[in-house]
Amino acid sequence: QVQLMESGGGSVQAGGSLTLSCATSEDTFRRNCIGWFRQAPGREREEVAHFLPNHRITYYADSVEGRSTLSQDKNTLHLQMTSLKPEDTAVYYCAAGEQCPYASRWNDPKYWGQGTQVTVSS
């Protein structure tokens, strides 16, 4: 069973930084794409970024391109976000799945974490 454990959410002022972490098992990391999605109040869930461990490929949504960086530390995927804006406020979810696109938005991860709240104040 795939388990995804998110941490690192919190409150920050606009322009600040946060790092979210998604911890999982070695087997999950080896077999799956891992990524981050977010859902703001009243809006649909959208992708932030994803990582293909076997190919060392990363994809970033346009909304966070240049402000976010994915990095791997053993079986944990970190999402570092800088220059945060109030519109980045959302619940952020870690997701995993056996297949994901190399260079486009990922629409259908199979597994989801519980989510962690990020609040950016102006």
Side-chain angles (χ1 to χ4, degrees), residues 47-52 57-62 64-65 70 101-106:
E47 180 180 12
V48 177
H50 67 262
F51 177 62
L52 290 76
I57 292 174
T58 55
Y59 166 83
Y60 299 95
D62 289 344
V64 301
E65 180 79 56
L70 289 173
Y102 280 33
S104 61
R105 187 168 54 193
W106 188 11

Side-chain angles (χ1 to χ4, degrees), residues 6 35-39 45 91-95 112-116:
E6 301 120 329
W36 287 94
F37 290 69
R38 67 186 182 185
Q39 187 166 20
R45 188 153 50 187
V91 178
Y92 283 70
Y93 297 90
C94 182
W112 294 90
Q114 294 297 309
T116 184

Side-chain angles (χ1 to χ4, degrees), residues 3-58:
Q3 291 188 328
L4 305 168
M5 300 285 292
E6 301 120 329
S7 61
S11 297
V12 64
Q13 290 193 327
S17 301
L18 273 179
T19 298
L20 305 182
S21 300
C22 177
T24 187
S25 69
E26 179 180 357
D27 186 65
T28 296
F29 223 104
R30 184 174 65 248
R31 292 174 180 268
N32 289 273
C33 303
I34 311 287
W36 287 94
F37 290 69
R38 67 186 182 185
Q39 187 166 20
R43 301 190 65 175
E44 292 186 356
R45 188 153 50 187
E46 63 175 359
E47 180 180 12
V48 177
H50 67 262
F51 177 62
L52 290 76
N54 292 334
H55 302 278
R56 311 294 300 175
I57 292 174
T58 55

Side-chain angles (χ1 to χ4, degrees), residues 67-112:
R67 301 189 296 121
S68 296
T69 303
L70 289 173
S71 62
Q72 177 189 359
D73 177 13
K74 295 183 180 179
N75 304 323
T76 300
L77 184 68
H78 302 289
L79 174 68
Q80 181 183 25
M81 299 186 293
T82 62
S83 301
L84 284 163
K85 307 172 184 179
E87 50 264 46
D88 293 317
T89 295
V91 178
Y92 283 70
Y93 297 90
C94 182
E98 288 87 354
Q99 294 182 341
C100 65
Y102 280 33
S104 61
R105 187 168 54 193
W106 188 11
N107 294 320
D108 55 351
K110 185 175 181 179
Y111 308 104
W112 294 90

